[in-house]
Amino acid sequence: MSLKLRIDGKTVDTPAVWWDDAANDVRMINQIKIPFQVEVHSCSTYRDTAKAIKEMIIRGAPSIGAAAAYGLAQAVQEFWNQDAFVEHIKSAYNELMAARPTAVDLKNGLDFVKKYDQLNPKAALNRAKIFANRIANEGLKIGQIGKELIVSNMNVLTHCHTGALALVDNGSALAPLIQAWEEGKRFHVYVDETRPRIQGRMTAWELSQYGVDHTVICDSASGFFMSQGKIDLIILGADRVVRNGDIANKIGTYNLAVLANHHNIPFYTAFPTSTFDSSTRTGNDIIIEYRDANEVKQALGYSNTLMKNQIVSLYAEGEEFSNPAFDITPNNLITGYITPYGILSQSQLEKTFINRTSQ
Amino acid sequence: MSLKLRIDGKTVDTPAVWWDDAANDVRMINQIKIPFQVEVHSCSTYRDTAKAIKEMIIRGAPSIGAAAAYGLAQAVQEFWNQDAFVEHIKSAYNELMAARPTAVDLKNGLDFVKKYDQLNPKAALNRAKIFANRIANEGLKIGQIGKELIVSNMNVLTHCHTGALALVDNGSALAPLIQAWEEGKRFHVYVDETRPRIQGRMTAWELSQYGVDHTVICDSASGFFMSQGKIDLIILGADRVVRNGDIANKIGTYNLAVLANHHNIPFYTAFPTSTFDSSTRTGNDIIIEYRDANEVKQALGYSNTLMKNQIVSLYAEGEEFSNPAFDITPNNLITGYITPYGILSQSQLEKTFINRTSQ
C-alpha cells in the first residue's frame, strides 16, 4: 500500500523519505508543497537534512526520525577520515537533535545509528536504512491490527496527518483506515483541519489517493459533530508516548480527548516503536515546543488568480500569537494504543515497549 | 466608548451600522475588510442591505438585527405609495429574514419595525433607529454589569467577535473587558482564531483599539491553555439564546463549554435583549446554518508582496467540506448570562426576557 504519486508526469511508488543510492543523498517528498505540488526535495549534506526537518519539509514524528537517522549517516560520510571525527559527529548529532524538540523518534533514530560500534559510512547508512524500513513495516502492522476497530457505516474522526508521508510509508493512524477501506469496508472519515499548519489537507489528500470517503471540518466543529452522534471513533497518531501512557501530539488532540470522554466515544492513538519514549515517565515531563508566531499569523495556500502558492497574512500587523505545537493527553482519556504489538491497554504499554525502542 | 477608527485619514467615532440622513441610505463598516482596511459600505436599497447581511459585510447577531431593521425601513421608503405596498413589504421582510438563518436578532429587528401600526417611511425609520440605539445602549450596560467578573491579573478567553462592530456599538462579550480595562484593571485576553472566517482577527483588532493586552491562539489550543491553568474565565457572545437557556453561538463554543466544564472554569455568555428568542423552547429546536464550503477551503488574507487582499485555497481541488457555522451549548454548561438586566442564572432567564424582545 505504498504511496502512489505523480511526480514529473510519472506515477511512482514512493516512501516519504529515502536514501538515493545513485545520487548518494537523502530525498523526501516536500510536505510544505502538498497538496498543491508533488516535489522531491534533495539533501546532499547532514545540514541540509537538519534544515529540512526544522523547516517542516519533512513532518510526522516517525518520518522525522528516519530523516534524522539518514542525516547522521550523511555526517559520518562527510567527516569520515577527517580530524576530530568524533567531535564532528557529536556536533552533527546535536544539530539534528535540535531540529525539532518534541518527536522522540528523532532521538531514537539518531541513537539507533550512533550506538552501532563500528561507526563507518557503510554501517551507519545500513543502520539508517534498517531504522527507516522498520518504521514503514510497522505502519503495515499497525494497519492490520487497527483495522479491526473499523466497521462499515462508521464515522471516524482523525486529527493532523498520520499517513504514509508522516511514517516513512503506510501511515500510523491512517493505516487502519486505508487497509479497512481496501478490504471493502465502507465508512466515512472526518478530517480535522489542524490549524495552524493545516495538516488536514495532507490527510485529505492522502485519503483521496486511496479513494477513502472523507470530509474536512474546522477544528472547532469536532464537538458539534460528536453532539450530533456523527462520530463513532477517534483515531489519531502521537508525537511521543511516555511510560505511563500519556501522549504528546499535535495541538488539539487534548481538546478531542476531553470531548470524546464527554460523549463516551472511543479514543485511540496509533504509533510505531520509535515514538515510544522509555526515558520519560509522565506527560508532565514533556517540554512543549512553541513554534513561530507566523505559523498562526499567516497561511500558505494556492492562488487561482496568480496560479502559484502564496503566503497571506491573516491578521493585522503587530498582533501577538502563542503557538504551542503540541499538547499532552493524559492516559485516562485514551481508550487504547494501536501498536505493531497489538491494541494495548495503558497497563500493557510500558512492559511491551521497554527495551524495544533502540534495538 | 464608541469605536474610534481611521477612515479616509480621519479619526471618526462610528457605530457598526447607521442610517446616513444626508445620503438617505444605510451605512456600515465593511467587516470583510477588517483588519486590513477600514472602509464604509453603503446600501441604497433594501436589497443591498440584505446582500450585505448575506455576504457577511455586516456580522454579529445584534448588528445584523439593526441592519435588517434599517433594511425594512428602506423597503417602506422604496415601496411607499406604490401598488401592492403590503405585498412588497412582506416580500422584503422575507428576503431580509432569509439573509442569515441563525441570528434571532434579525427577526426581532424586522418585527420591531413591522409591528408598528402606522407603517410609513418616517415611522419605520424611526423604529429602526430606536432598535439600533437600544442595542448599542445595552452594550454599555452589559459592560457595566459584566466588568465585575474581571479582576486584575486574570486570564480571560474569548471566541469569535463580540465587539462594537458586532453589536452596533460597545460590544457584548468584549464590553466587560474593555470597560474593566478602562477602569484600570490589568489582565490578559486569549483570543480564539475562530476558523473558518477568522473573526478572532476582528476581536484582536478591536482590543488593540482600546489597548487591551491580548494574544491570539488557534481554536484547538484552548484545552492546552486551560490544562496549564492559564484560563480563569471564559466570556463569549451568543447568536441566539432560547427559553431554557441553551445558546446557539459560533462553531467552537460548545467545545469550549465542555472543556471549561472539565476544568471547572467559569463560562459566561453576554448578549442584548434582541438575541433572546422567546419563541423557541430548547436548543434542539434551533436549525443550524451550514455555510458555503469555500469558507473552510479558502482564506482571505493580505499579501505583503502584492500589497493587497488575496483569497488563497488551502486545500486541493475536489476536497469536500462540512461547515456548520454555529453549535448549540446546553444550559448546564453555562455558568451565567451577562445581560442588560444583570448576571442571570438559567432559572432567572425566561422570566426576565419574556415579552421584552419586541417591545
Side-chain angles (χ1 to χ4, degrees):
Chain A
M1 53 177 275
S2 202
L3 195 57
K4 278 174 190 55
L5 302 174
R6 296 285 296 176
I7 301 178
D8 297 334
K10 285 173 287 190
T11 298
V12 293
D13 227 359
T14 178
V17 55
W18 67 97
W19 185 273
D20 187 293
D21 284 313
N24 199 44
D25 62 12
V26 176
R27 304 211 163 177
M28 55 189 69
I29 303 295
N30 185 337
Q31 295 189 35
I32 289 174
K33 303 267 179 124
I34 299 291
F36 308 114
Q37 295 92 24
V38 181
E39 287 179 12
V40 175
H41 178 82
S42 307
C43 302
S44 37
T45 67
Y46 85 87
R47 282 229 157 108
D48 291 345
T49 304
K51 194 160 172 265
I53 295 170
K54 191 166 189 167
E55 294 180 351
M56 294 177 66
I57 288 169
I58 186 144
R59 307 175 203 178
S63 283
I64 289 170
Y70 284 131
L72 195 58
Q74 279 178 301
V76 173
Q77 276 197 353
E78 286 171 57
F79 298 112
W80 184 243
N81 282 336
Q82 283 193 23
D83 287 347
F85 173 74
V86 173
E87 287 72 19
H88 276 305
I89 295 304
K90 251 187 207 160
S91 150
Y93 176 101
N94 291 335
E95 216 172 312
L96 287 157
M97 187 68 192
R100 289 291 299 276
T102 304
V104 72
D105 307 67
L106 204 162
K107 185 177 189 311
N108 285 337
L110 292 171
D111 289 345
F112 190 85
V113 172
K114 196 187 86 175
K115 76 178 297 207
Y116 190 65
D117 290 337
Q118 295 155 314
L119 201 61
N120 63 58
K122 200 180 157 200
L125 178 56
N126 192 40
R127 291 286 285 177
K129 285 180 175 175
I130 291 171
F131 186 81
N133 287 336
R134 192 174 69 176
I135 292 173
N137 289 331
E138 288 195 358
L140 270 184
K141 279 193 213 153
I142 288 168
Q144 282 156 16
I145 288 165
K147 72 185 175 191
E148 304 308 324
L149 295 171
I150 317 292
V151 293
S152 276
N153 302 318
M154 188 177 235
N155 290 296
V156 186
L157 174 68
T158 191
H159 189 69
C160 199
H161 175 249
T162 57
L165 289 180
L167 200 94
V168 184
D169 211 344
N170 302 310
S172 54
L174 288 195
L177 300 174
I178 291 166
Q179 289 194 31
W181 190 270
E182 293 195 330
E183 274 191 5
K185 293 177 185 170
R186 289 296 170 261
F187 50 91
H188 190 81
V189 183
Y190 285 95
V191 175
D192 259 5
E193 162 156 279
T194 318
R195 274 278 285 156
R197 293 295 287 247
I198 317 184
Q199 283 94 340
R201 67 189 177 195
M202 296 167 60
T203 298
W205 177 83
E206 268 198 47
L207 291 174
S208 293
Q209 307 294 316
Y210 300 96
V212 180
D213 191 28
H214 64 281
T215 306
V216 177
I217 62 171
C218 287
D219 300 315
S220 61
S222 49
F224 172 73
F225 287 103
M226 293 186 206
S227 73
Q228 302 274 306
K230 286 189 180 158
I231 309 291
D232 303 303
L233 174 68
I234 296 170
I235 306 187
L236 37 69
D239 285 83
R240 197 192 292 206
V241 181
V242 299
R243 280 161 51 195
N244 76 339
D246 294 350
I247 67 168
N249 194 43
K250 178 59 56 201
I251 193 74
T253 300
Y254 175 67
N255 284 21
L256 291 177
V258 170
L259 285 158
N261 186 253
H262 186 82
H263 292 93
N264 288 312
I265 297 168
F267 182 95
Y268 288 88
T269 172
F271 55 92
T273 309
S274 63
T275 299
F276 191 78
D277 178 6
S278 54
S279 68
T280 302
R281 209 174 53 81
T282 80
N284 295 330
D285 305 320
I286 300 174
I287 293 161
I288 293 293
E289 175 184 4
Y290 280 74
R291 292 186 59 87
D292 196 280
N294 279 334
E295 290 192 342
V296 184
K297 183 178 180 183
Q298 302 174 336
L300 168 70
Y302 184 82
S303 164
N304 285 314
T305 50
L306 300 172
M307 299 208 294
K308 61 177 183 177
N309 297 356
Q310 277 289 301
I311 290 174
V312 292
S313 182
L314 303 173
Y315 291 86
E317 288 307 305
E319 289 299 346
E320 289 183 9
F321 302 86
S322 185
N323 183 23
F326 302 96
D327 57 28
I328 307 295
T329 299
N331 57 30
N332 64 308
L333 297 177
I334 299 171
T335 310
Y337 302 81
I338 308 172
T339 77
Y341 316 106
I343 299 174
L344 307 178
S345 67
Q346 186 253 342
S347 64
Q348 297 170 299
L349 199 64
E350 186 167 355
K351 63 174 182 280
T352 305
F353 275 97
I354 208 88
N355 297 325
R356 278 198 205 255
T357 48
S358 54
Q359 273 167 5
Chain B
M1 51 178 279
S2 202
L3 195 57
K4 279 176 191 53
L5 302 173
R6 297 284 296 175
I7 301 178
D8 298 333
K10 283 174 287 185
T11 298
V12 292
D13 230 359
T14 178
V17 54
W18 67 97
W19 184 275
D20 187 293
D21 285 313
N24 199 44
D25 62 12
V26 176
R27 306 212 161 176
M28 54 189 69
I29 303 295
N30 185 336
Q31 296 189 36
I32 288 174
K33 303 266 178 127
I34 298 291
F36 308 115
Q37 294 92 26
V38 181
E39 287 179 12
V40 174
H41 178 83
S42 306
C43 302
S44 36
T45 67
Y46 86 87
R47 281 229 158 105
D48 292 345
T49 304
K51 193 160 175 265
I53 295 170
K54 192 166 189 167
E55 295 181 353
M56 293 177 69
I57 289 169
I58 187 147
R59 304 175 205 178
S63 284
I64 289 170
Y70 284 130
L72 194 59
Q74 278 178 302
V76 173
Q77 275 198 354
E78 287 170 55
F79 299 112
W80 184 242
N81 282 336
Q82 283 194 22
D83 285 346
F85 173 75
V86 173
E87 287 70 20
H88 277 303
I89 295 304
K90 252 188 208 161
S91 152
Y93 177 100
N94 291 336
E95 215 171 311
L96 286 158
M97 187 67 192
R100 290 293 297 279
T102 305
V104 71
D105 306 71
L106 204 160
K107 184 176 190 311
N108 286 336
L110 292 171
D111 288 346
F112 190 85
V113 173
K114 195 187 85 174
K115 76 179 297 206
Y116 190 67
D117 291 336
Q118 296 155 311
L119 203 60
N120 63 60
K122 197 179 160 201
L125 177 57
N126 192 39
R127 290 287 286 177
K129 286 181 175 176
I130 290 171
F131 186 80
N133 286 336
R134 191 175 69 176
I135 293 173
N137 289 333
E138 286 196 357
L140 270 184
K141 278 193 215 153
I142 288 168
Q144 282 158 13
I145 287 163
K147 72 184 176 190
E148 304 308 325
L149 295 169
I150 317 291
V151 294
S152 277
N153 302 317
M154 189 176 237
N155 289 296
V156 185
L157 175 66
T158 191
H159 189 69
C160 199
H161 174 248
T162 57
L165 290 180
L167 199 94
V168 186
D169 211 342
N170 303 311
S172 56
L174 289 196
L177 300 173
I178 291 167
Q179 290 194 32
W181 189 269
E182 293 195 329
E183 274 191 3
K185 292 178 184 170
R186 288 299 171 259
F187 51 90
H188 190 79
V189 182
Y190 285 96
V191 176
D192 259 4
E193 165 157 280
T194 319
R195 274 280 283 156
R197 294 294 289 245
I198 318 183
Q199 283 93 340
R201 66 190 177 195
M202 294 167 60
T203 298
W205 176 84
E206 266 199 48
L207 291 175
S208 292
Q209 307 295 318
Y210 300 97
V212 179
D213 191 28
H214 65 280
T215 306
V216 176
I217 62 170
C218 287
D219 299 315
S220 62
S222 50
F224 173 73
F225 287 103
M226 291 186 207
S227 73
Q228 302 274 305
K230 285 187 182 161
I231 309 291
D232 303 303
L233 174 67
I234 296 171
I235 304 187
L236 37 68
D239 284 82
R240 197 192 293 205
V241 180
V242 299
R243 278 163 48 198
N244 76 339
D246 295 349
I247 67 169
N249 193 43
K250 178 60 53 200
I251 193 73
T253 300
Y254 176 67
N255 284 21
L256 291 177
V258 171
L259 286 158
N261 187 252
H262 186 81
H263 293 94
N264 288 312
I265 296 168
F267 182 95
Y268 288 88
T269 173
F271 55 92
T273 308
S274 62
T275 298
F276 191 78
D277 178 5
S278 54
S279 68
T280 302
R281 209 175 54 83
T282 80
N284 295 330
D285 305 320
I286 300 175
I287 294 163
I288 293 292
E289 174 183 4
Y290 280 74
R291 292 184 59 87
D292 196 279
N294 279 333
E295 291 193 340
V296 184
K297 185 179 179 183
Q298 304 176 335
L300 168 70
Y302 184 82
S303 164
N304 284 314
T305 50
L306 300 173
M307 299 206 296
K308 61 177 182 177
N309 297 355
Q310 277 289 301
I311 290 173
V312 292
S313 182
L314 303 173
Y315 291 85
E317 287 308 306
E319 291 298 348
E320 289 183 9
F321 303 86
S322 184
N323 183 23
F326 302 95
D327 57 26
I328 307 294
T329 299
N331 58 29
N332 64 310
L333 297 176
I334 298 170
T335 310
Y337 302 80
I338 308 172
T339 77
Y341 317 106
I343 299 175
L344 307 178
S345 67
Q346 185 255 339
S347 64
Q348 296 171 298
L349 201 63
E350 187 167 354
K351 64 172 180 278
T352 304
F353 277 97
I354 208 86
N355 297 326
R356 278 200 205 254
T357 48
S358 54
Q359 274 168 2

